[in-house]
Structure formats: C-alpha cells, structure tokens
Amino acid sequence: TEQVHLVPLTVTSVEQAGVGDRYCLDFLSHFHQGEGVLVGSSAACMVLIHSETIPSTFVPTRPFRVNAGSPHSYIMMADGTTKYMADLTSGDVVLATSTDGSTRPVVLGRLKIEPRPMLKIVVLPTMNNEQKPNESHVYMQQAETVRLLSDLAEARSITSLESNEVVLGWIGHGSRHLGKAIGGHVEER
C-alpha cells in the first residue's frame, strides 16, 4: 500500500445545515480503529472520516461502515482518482486511510442513503507563509457516532467538535476533471 501525506486542518466552524441525504458506506472488509476514508466538498482538501469501530451507548459498532457524508462530496478512490459520493456503486474500490498515512483498497458492498440532520464542518489547512490557505468544508450527519480523526490520532465526534480543534486531512491537486487531476485552476467554494 502507498502512504498518504496527512496534514492538520483547523476547524473554523461547526454549523447546523438542515436535513440532507447522508451516505453510509458498507464495505466487504472491516476497518480498524484509527482508519477511515478521505471525503470533502473540494477535491483540494478532504478530511479523514473515522469508521464506525468505536462502541457507543446508542448503536452497536459497525466495523465495516463509514458514515461518509452527503451526495455532492468527493471521496478518494484506491487508484488516486475521486468520485462524487452519489456516483459510487457496489464494487467500487475506495482508499482506506489510517492516521499514520498508510492506505489499503477496500471494496464497497452497498450504500445506505437516508435523510438526516446535517452539520457543515469548515476547516482551514495549515500552510506555509508562501501559500494562501483556502477554507474547505464537509457536510456530515449530525450524530455522535460520526467522527473525524484529530491530529493526535483520536476520534472526535462531530457533535462535540469545536472551533480551533485540529483534525487530520489531505491536501491535493485542486483541479480535477472526471475525478482525475488536471492542469489549470478550478475554484470550489
């Protein structure tokens, strides 16, 4: 498996976002704690969403599942391309990513799509002084079992996430066409 360079992303806000379709992704493999998938509203910045491997008082664990967000979101595929969540189909191969950056391919078994209350999580990449960081965001189901991974490799429930907390993510090539990186400039907001 290849390594992915994960970077710290500072949460700038967590906002109510109304009701939307949330996509639970059920895979043919179990995930480990500290492992999930990369998802974002921009192909240039994705957050690491934790799998449902952590026990909860509300529901049993689902170690084969990632509650991955909304239909417009990009998800990182095992071949390095991206897809819209809405374009995923059973049999697609997604990139599972761990907090240490290690990756492996995982095969999607099914999608479970249901309307749910959503949160908008806005993040700002930490960049060097020569680069102007762009704010990015992801929409996720408002549920205590939906978690992002912190810079300390701890799973943080999005329902208790606060501004100025740091989560892990990936910064990539911002210009894509049909999921493949291309030259040029694309602005996503």
Side-chain angles (χ1 to χ4, degrees):
T1 60
E2 295 191 23
Q3 290 285 116
V4 169
H5 178 68
L6 296 174
V7 297
L9 305 171
T10 302
V11 175
T12 59
S13 69
V14 178
E15 307 164 12
Q16 295 290 325
V19 174
D21 290 336
R22 74 91 164 102
Y23 281 57
C24 276
L25 308 180
D26 292 346
F27 293 92
L28 301 186
S29 305
H30 281 188
F31 284 81
H32 310 288
Q33 285 200 20
E35 188 178 38
V37 297
L38 292 165
V39 174
S41 291
S42 166
C45 180
M46 298 184 180
V47 296
L48 183 55
I49 300 175
H50 198 275
S51 55
E52 292 191 10
T53 56
I54 298 173
S56 163
T57 57
F58 300 98
V59 294
T61 61
R62 301 282 190 260
F64 52 85
R65 174 175 292 168
V66 178
N67 189 331
S70 55
H72 78 281
S73 296
Y74 292 106
I75 185 165
M76 184 63 69
M77 305 303 289
D79 64 0
T81 63
T82 58
K83 270 193 171 184
Y84 289 117
M85 201 82 65
D87 291 341
L88 289 173
T89 59
S90 177
D92 279 344
V93 185
V94 173
L95 187 72
T97 304
S98 295
T99 55
D100 65 0
S102 61
T103 64
R104 65 186 174 102
V106 289
V107 178
L108 182 62
R110 74 169 182 158
L111 293 96
K112 186 177 177 190
I113 306 162
E114 298 172 302
R116 292 288 185 263
M118 304 291 275
L119 292 174
K120 178 183 180 184
I121 293 137
V122 181
V123 295
L124 185 64
T126 305
M127 308 292 268
N128 65 36
N129 292 338
E130 290 129 30
Q131 296 173 306
K132 181 178 183 261
N134 289 325
E135 218 172 46
S136 191
H137 61 275
V138 64
Y139 286 88
M140 303 180 70
Q141 179 184 348
Q142 182 178 347
E144 65 288 330
T145 56
V146 180
R147 298 174 171 95
L148 299 181
L149 283 149
S150 79
D151 61 331
L152 303 174
E154 296 172 350
R156 295 283 297 129
S157 173
I158 64 165
T159 57
S160 60
L161 202 60
E162 297 180 359
S163 292
N164 297 317
E165 286 192 59
V166 178
V167 296
L168 290 176
W170 173 83
I171 303 296
H173 197 284
S175 300
R176 289 189 176 253
H177 179 67
L178 300 174
K180 295 183 173 114
I182 60 169
H185 175 74
V186 173
E187 186 174 332
E188 293 176 312
R189 296 181 192 192

